Amino acid sequence: MKDIGIAPSILAADFGYLMRDIKQIECNADCLHIDVMDGHYVNNISFGIPVIQSIRKYTDMKFFTHLMITEPEKYIKAFADAGSDNITFHVECAKAPFALIDEINALGKTAGVAIHPDTPIEDVFPFIGKVEIILVMTVYPGFGGQGYLDMSDERLRKLRKAIDEKGCDTIIAVDGGVTEENIRRIYEAGARLFVAGSSVFHAEDPAAAIEELKRCGISS
Ligand code: DX5
Ligand code: ZN
């Protein structure tokens, strides 16, 4: 992973032209963020396994599947077989998270844990060094287009400190409300992978929007 990575979230794409929208960003993005919602863990339903299978045929992008679902253990193999490269589940939903990580890795995929804004950030500390990414939700999960929660800065700083103290390369990813205006500050708080839905796919030129996010994130 480069110092700063942008993961466009297809939740903000036009599903009627999904592949067209993905093609617009595939050369500039670092990976594709795929939001799966089940109507139970979150009050929204997005899409599932068949959609991932379909888009997998037309791009080599790295797929990061963000499972906002209860009972993720039931569906890990299906999401792996559909073409996910990373499978990230919510720490609030997994009954046996370390077994789940082992299962994901045994399927040849990398694992991630996501954390809800209301869950103490310390709850993900045991996963440092055990997963590829820790995905800190910076909006309430369920919908795109929300504003970044300011309280996230402090949570990110705590997590950054814990990771650095352990000397691990676990990537801190943030999800929700990332814009050109706030990306530098979120970077300074410790994040290195930035999920961006609206600020990429609602831009006139999504590829240029990614480059602009990177530029704003790394310039002092
Ligand atoms: C929210 C999703 C996010 C969402 C981010 O539950 O997990 O990935 O797509 O969208 P923006 O960038 O619009 O906040
Ligand atoms: Zn997401």
Side-chain angles (χ1 to χ4, degrees), residues 153-171:
D153 290 5
E154 187 55 27
R155 291 162 60 78
L156 291 167
R157 275 194 287 270
K158 283 186 188 168
L159 179 58
R160 176 83 269 156
K161 187 164 176 277
I163 290 175
D164 291 346
E165 279 171 6
K166 288 191 183 171
C168 293
D169 56 6
T170 305
I171 297 162

Side-chain angles (χ1 to χ4, degrees), residues 96-104:
F98 291 103
L100 212 50
I101 292 165
D102 288 344
E103 186 189 344
I104 293 168

Side-chain angles (χ1 to χ4, degrees), residues 9 11 33 35 37 66 68 137 141-145 175-177 195-198:
S9 167
L11 194 62
H33 185 84
D35 284 312
M37 304 178 184
H66 176 195
M68 282 166 276
M137 293 300 304
F143 297 89
D175 187 4
V195 176
S198 311

